[in-house]
Amino acid sequence: MWQSSPPGSIYDYIRVASFSIGPDGLIEQWSSRAAGLFGMAAREAIGRDPVDAFMPAELRADGRRRVGEILDGREWTGLVPFRMPGEGGAHGVAEVYVMPSLTAGGERGALCLVVDVRALRRIETDLAASQAIFGQSPFGFVLFGTDFAVVRANQRFATVFGGAADDHRGRTVEDYLPRPEADRLSATLKRVLETGESVTDLQLIGTAPGGTERRHWSMNLYRVHSGAGRPVGIAGLATDVTRRHIAAREAASARRNLALLNEASARIGNSLDLETTARELLDVAVPGFCDLAAVDLYQGLLSGDEAPPGSWAPPHRDFGGGSAELRRVAHASAVSDALPTAVAGSGPPGPDDVPPALGSVHRFPFGSPCAAALRSGHVEDVPGDEMGFVQSTLAVPMVAHDTVVGLVQFSRTKGSEPFGERDRALATELAARAAVCIDNARLYRREHERALILQRSLLPPGDPEAAGLDIACRYLPGNTATEVGGDWFDVIELPGHRTALVVGDVMGRGLRAAVAMGELRTAVRTLALLDLEPAEVLSALDEVARGLGSPGGGSGGALGGSGGSQWPSRAAQKSREADLSEVYLATCVYAVYDPVTRRCTFANAGHLPPAVVEPGRPARLIDVPPGMPLGVGGEPFEEVEVELAENALLTLYTDGLVESRDQPLDEGLAALRTVLTGPQMGLEAACDHVLTTLDTRHGEDDIALLMARIQGLPEEAVGDWKLPREPRSVGRARDLARSQLLAWDLDDLVDTTELLVSELVTNALRYSEGEIRLRLLRDRTLVCEVWDAGLVQPRRRRARDTDEGGRGLQLVGLLSAAWGSRRTPRGKTVWFELALPDGAPAAELSVEQLLSMY
């Protein structure tokens, strides 16, 4: 049966033309395709000599010889150049197949089949390009026919699902996916084939042949058509997105943990009652973190024993080889069943293991995981119960200031996700926060005995030292009886020889203000060591302050004004102290000084402005937006960067220095500028001069004063280079470091510095992007910084025995006095610090330190 070939067949692309030559050597028949190929109608071609019509003059002699041979009965195939008729005719090359033929009269002619070589080359190129795209794609590529069976698959697809690419022909989706997923993919293939609408990011879940791990694939599907537009199948592009799903799951878990920590900050520690704090911890943890939980505190802590709570019973005390006495102060459950044995805490679960009743006193046996947790201060895993109710339990010691005050147990029942490493860290953090609150309550009950120790512990030890700064400070408590107040100052060394200067003031007096101040100062130090920007430090500190108490009066944290001053009046506020007895408000100014650039960045939370005196100029107040006090919340903090002149005097202070009931704030600030503008003197003498000259009305309020003389690092103490992003920059960095250290006469540090610089620059080349910057700073120590444009912070990891790399940061940690990384506006800086040689031989790494790298 005759059947027409549909449009778009291979013949339409090849365009085969034909014509015939008669016995006289002239064109006898001329097809329509020949007319299209050569641009000559049949009436023009028939009867003409094909050699004269189409071949160039220089080839005509050979062409006539070939025609003669053909008419003698010889077949011939070859390439023939031709040109279109006319003066401007285009030239081309045709592949010709000539077959001798006989006319009705027995005379010899020829039938010629002609193909334009350009058309053949285009088809070959298209086929080659298609094969390259299909075969070299880094993604799994598969072509389904209209019957949804695999027509073709590339090698990448075969690598995932096994076998060679040709082995997948004829397979269906049921051969790759479990039934539910296969049905879903089949329905999608049918819809794409019927509608022609493509599908992107179709998520599929299955297991690769021979494996057990669940994999996630993302598949893009689109309908494929022939040249005539007829659907011939569905093309699929598959990508393994398992790691992306794992990362998304971990990110979701991290967000949940962060939300839980934020909730804990707001809900734990709102009371100084020990049992209430324990219940607050369980209110946060159940059911957001676990299904079951219980808290045990040391009996001595609850009874007011002056001896600090111990983590383990002394051997001479008859505790049966177990822990000291504990009391169960809280428990919680998100399930209807009674508390299971896993949170009983008496040891390995057994049929007779009954959890202690609320309020009962008990001890943990020596061999129990709970006892081990109390003894070591580390989290211990408790096995699940034999009845299959509890899946896993964490026994977490409650540690505050290196003292174990109790134990909290978190349990998850069957059906819940088991605890992982992130969960262990979160459990430790929750227990630690509750422990701090409990320990603060214990300290609060000992106000009189610990007041002096507390105040001294909150001040910088000795004479603070900082690179590029000479520092002197004074603290005068307003309550001379207890020497405890809410004012504080601090000097914190930061990486890169930078220094953080802090002065703050908690509203109120006595132990209440001192405790709040202690927590805020601790938080400032913690945040400073994270190397956050000053505004970020104050924002985080504001969150801490808001978690310290709740308003006890209707006035809340509103601030009043005084005498039209732009700075808030603290005297008016402190007169309402009774109304704000439960509100923890504080002001703070936080500054970071860089001795290399002599620039200082300030952020202010409702505090008085810093003062600066530059040589030969009067004192002035630095215009730093004051912002809201800590504990008020709701408003962002701003930063101001100021370049300070050499030998300038920077002064930070609290309001007790310039404000009293008899002196408006503006007058006090003007008096301070006048005193600072006086003759230059030593810092210690300057501090005494300020305190004795100003009318401080001492005894009305605490006073904290911090003065710093600006001494920038000299140019010869700084080495700064930019390195191109290329492998040889590693060697270049070593050479620069060696040359600079030799110029500084630090020969003993050359080898170590070269090695560590090489590691950091190599990491910058391997894991980041953009230009690299190397900087060496010499002051009291040697600091090396490597800057790059990458945003991912480095982390140490333990390399496996078979790994050839992965120990660079371990070397940096072992050989340097300190190391770390910090964010910059356009990337990050990784640094390490080395002590300057003191003439003694350098200490060699111990065997244990070397083995710790493996």
Side-chain angles (χ1 to χ4, degrees):
M1 181 179 67
W2 292 92
Q3 179 179 348
S4 299
S5 176
S9 68
I10 189 65
Y11 300 104
D12 290 333
Y13 291 100
I14 298 178
R15 300 186 63 82
V16 179
S18 66
F19 64 90
S20 64
I21 301 175
D24 55 0
L26 303 179
I27 297 174
E28 190 175 65
Q29 292 181 338
W30 189 254
S31 68
S32 298
R33 292 218 174 182
L37 177 62
F38 294 104
M40 182 182 296
R43 64 176 178 277
E44 300 175 295
I46 294 175
R48 295 189 61 179
D49 185 343
V51 175
D52 292 336
F54 305 114
M55 298 189 67
E58 65 274 11
L59 300 177
R60 290 174 183 171
D62 185 62
R64 289 193 178 89
R65 181 176 59 81
R66 293 285 185 184
V67 171
E69 294 175 353
I70 292 166
L71 294 178
D72 287 340
R74 183 176 177 184
E75 291 187 1
W76 183 78
T77 302
L79 299 178
V80 176
F82 69 90
R83 63 176 177 79
M84 302 297 183
E87 293 298 330
H91 290 263
V93 178
E95 186 171 281
V96 182
Y97 176 46
V98 183
M99 298 174 289
S101 62
L102 295 176
T103 64
E107 296 178 298
R108 290 184 176 176
L111 176 63
C112 302
L113 299 179
V114 184
V115 179
D116 189 347
V117 173
R118 293 172 298 178
L120 291 176
R121 297 298 176 264
R122 282 197 298 269
I123 293 174
E124 292 173 355
T125 301
D126 291 346
L127 288 175
S130 175
Q131 178 62 29
I133 294 174
F134 190 87
Q136 299 174 18
S137 171
F139 307 105
F141 200 100
V142 61
L143 180 63
F144 296 96
T146 54
D147 59 351
F148 307 133
V150 175
V151 176
R152 188 178 181 189
N154 68 351
Q155 187 56 44
R156 177 59 182 169
F157 185 87
T159 300
V160 175
F161 292 100
D166 291 339
D167 296 339
H168 293 269
R169 295 181 186 270
R171 294 185 181 179
T172 61
V173 293
E174 286 80 5
D175 296 321
Y176 303 105
L177 297 172
R179 173 63 64 179
E181 293 293 274
D183 292 343
R184 192 161 62 92
L185 178 56
S186 296
T188 305
L189 290 173
K190 183 178 180 181
R191 186 173 71 252
V192 172
L193 183 63
E194 292 175 350
T195 65
E197 296 179 357
S198 60
V199 173
T200 59
D201 197 22
L202 175 65
Q203 298 291 317
L204 299 171
I205 303 174
T207 303
T212 58
E213 182 182 2
R214 283 167 58 88
R215 310 297 297 176
H216 294 257
W217 293 284
S218 172
M219 200 162 192
N220 298 330
L221 300 169
Y222 59 92
R223 192 169 69 183
V224 180
H225 307 85
S226 67
R230 177 171 55 89
V232 297
I234 305 101
L237 190 66
T239 306
D240 191 330
V241 293
T242 304
R243 290 186 178 180
R244 187 173 71 189
H245 275 263
I246 294 174
R249 187 167 64 248
E250 291 181 350
S253 175
R255 287 193 296 270
R256 288 194 300 270
N257 290 353
L258 181 60
L260 198 64
L261 286 177
N262 289 337
E263 183 181 3
S265 299
R267 299 180 61 180
I268 299 176
N270 293 325
S271 170
L272 289 175
D273 180 75
L274 302 181
E275 289 84 351
T276 301
T277 302
R279 288 194 296 270
E280 289 170 347
L281 169 62
L282 299 193
D283 289 341
V284 172
V286 179
F289 176 68
C290 63
D291 302 315
L292 311 159
V295 176
D296 298 292
L297 296 180
Y298 276 110
Q299 178 66 9
L301 176 72
L302 297 168
S303 60
D305 189 353
E306 290 302 312
S311 62
W312 190 248
H316 64 275
R317 298 181 66 178
D318 184 18
F319 290 156
S323 68
E325 290 183 338
L326 296 103
R327 182 192 303 174
R328 179 142 297 182
V329 296
H331 65 203
S333 173
V335 294
S336 58
D337 304 57
L339 285 176
T341 58
V343 295
S346 61
D352 298 327
D353 188 13
V354 179
L358 186 64
S360 64
V361 177
H362 65 97
R363 299 187 181 96
F364 293 118
F366 181 86
S368 66
C370 294
L374 289 170
R375 185 168 57 250
S376 65
H378 300 297
V379 181
E380 294 288 339
D381 293 309
V382 181
D385 63 294
E386 297 178 359
M387 301 302 294
F389 185 81
V390 170
Q391 178 172 239
S392 59
T393 298
L394 295 178
V396 186
M398 303 178 69
V399 183
H401 310 297
D402 296 328
T403 300
V404 179
V405 298
L407 185 82
V408 57
Q409 297 172 75
F410 302 105
S411 297
R412 288 180 179 175
T413 58
K414 297 293 185 181
S416 299
E417 185 177 353
F419 290 114
E421 286 302 319
R422 289 180 182 271
D423 297 320
R424 292 171 65 92
L426 179 59
T428 302
E429 179 65 21
L430 290 174
R433 294 191 180 201
V436 169
C437 296
I438 291 172
D439 198 49
N440 285 342
R442 179 171 65 90
L443 293 175
Y444 182 79
R445 294 187 305 198
R446 301 174 180 179
E447 174 180 2
H448 181 71
E449 295 80 6
R450 300 295 178 91
L452 183 59
I453 298 175
L454 174 65
Q455 187 65 63
R456 290 177 178 175
S457 68
L458 296 178
L459 296 177
D463 296 326
E465 294 183 355
L469 291 175
D470 291 333
I471 298 175
C473 45
R474 295 288 187 274
Y475 177 81
L476 299 177
N479 188 340
T480 55
T482 61
E483 297 190 23
V484 174
D487 291 15
W488 91 92
F489 63 91
D490 212 345
V491 179
I492 307 169
E493 293 186 59
L494 300 177
H497 287 318
R498 295 171 304 128
T499 304
L501 304 175
V502 190
V503 168
D505 185 359
V506 177
M507 297 182 185
R509 299 179 185 174
L511 185 60
R512 172 191 173 277
V515 169
M517 177 262 285
E519 293 196 10
L520 291 178
R521 178 181 179 273
T522 301
V524 169
R525 279 194 156 267
T526 302
L527 295 168
L529 294 179
L530 293 177
D531 219 345
L532 302 177
E533 296 295 329
E536 294 180 278
V537 171
L538 293 187
S539 296
L541 201 61
D542 179 63
E543 296 289 339
V544 174
R546 279 189 283 168
L548 296 180
S550 58
S555 58
L559 297 176
S562 175
S565 171
Q566 62 172 324
W567 306 105
S569 172
R570 294 288 305 285
Q573 278 189 307
K574 293 184 179 182
S575 67
R576 300 193 299 271
E577 185 175 328
D579 293 333
L580 300 177
S581 58
E582 294 298 324
V583 178
Y584 291 79
L585 297 179
T587 64
C588 179
V589 61
Y590 184 89
V592 175
Y593 172 68
D594 187 346
V596 178
T597 61
R598 282 189 290 102
R599 301 188 71 86
C600 193
T601 304
F602 298 89
N604 192 346
H607 203 79
L608 297 176
V612 64
V613 184
E614 297 180 339
R617 302 184 64 180
R620 62 183 176 88
L621 300 179
I622 300 176
D623 186 12
V624 183
M628 298 299 290
L630 302 175
V632 175
E635 293 293 332
F637 297 96
E638 299 180 41
E639 295 180 357
V640 172
E641 188 177 61
V642 178
E643 183 173 356
L644 301 175
E646 188 77 7
N647 291 321
L649 180 63
L650 177 66
T651 302
L652 305 179
Y653 53 95
T654 57
D655 63 333
L657 183 67
V658 294
E659 184 182 28
S660 67
R661 292 189 177 94
D662 301 327
Q663 178 178 263
L665 180 59
D666 286 346
E667 292 183 10
L669 292 174
L672 174 63
R673 291 196 299 270
T674 301
V675 171
L676 293 176
T677 307
Q680 184 172 343
M681 61 185 71
L683 281 181
E684 296 294 334
C687 284
D688 295 335
H689 176 68
V690 169
L691 293 175
T692 55
T693 305
L694 293 178
D695 184 12
T696 61
R697 304 275 180 169
H698 183 56
E700 291 185 1
D701 197 3
D702 308 326
I703 296 176
L705 174 64
L706 190 153
M707 305 182 76
R709 184 81 66 187
I710 304 301
Q711 302 287 345
L713 287 182
E715 292 184 3
E716 58 270 19
V718 179
D720 197 347
W721 307 276
K722 293 182 178 179
L723 302 173
R725 188 168 187 79
E726 55 188 28
R728 60 182 178 180
S729 291
V730 178
R732 173 66 174 160
R734 289 196 299 265
D735 294 339
L736 292 171
R738 170 179 285 273
S739 299
Q740 186 65 72
L741 293 184
L742 293 177
W744 286 339
D745 295 326
L746 298 179
D747 305 38
D748 294 341
L749 300 182
V750 168
D751 292 339
T752 301
T753 305
E754 275 191 302
L755 175 60
L756 301 189
V757 164
S758 177
E759 292 292 340
L760 296 190
V761 174
T762 299
N763 284 349
L765 288 172
R766 181 176 298 173
Y767 300 113
S768 63
E769 55 188 7
E771 191 177 54
I772 299 170
R773 182 177 175 185
L774 171 65
R775 189 167 75 167
L776 294 178
L777 307 176
R778 178 187 178 182
D779 193 67
R780 290 173 298 144
T781 61
L782 175 69
V783 172
C784 173
E785 300 176 329
V786 175
W787 178 92
D788 60 62
L791 298 179
V792 179
Q793 297 294 318
R795 63 180 181 87
R796 292 177 63 175
R797 67 180 181 88
R798 182 173 294 278
R800 294 171 298 187
D801 295 345
T802 56
D803 288 350
E804 296 183 0
R807 300 179 178 88
L809 292 181
Q810 289 184 269
L811 274 176
V812 175
L814 289 174
L815 297 178
S816 63
W819 78 279
S821 67
R822 65 177 184 270
R823 293 179 299 169
T824 64
R826 293 182 298 276
K828 67 174 181 298
T829 297
V830 185
W831 58 271
F832 65 85
E833 182 176 351
L834 297 175
L836 298 183
D838 55 1
E844 297 183 357
L845 294 179
S846 66
V847 175
E848 290 76 10
Q849 290 175 315
L850 292 174
L851 290 178
S852 68
M853 300 174 56
Y854 295 88

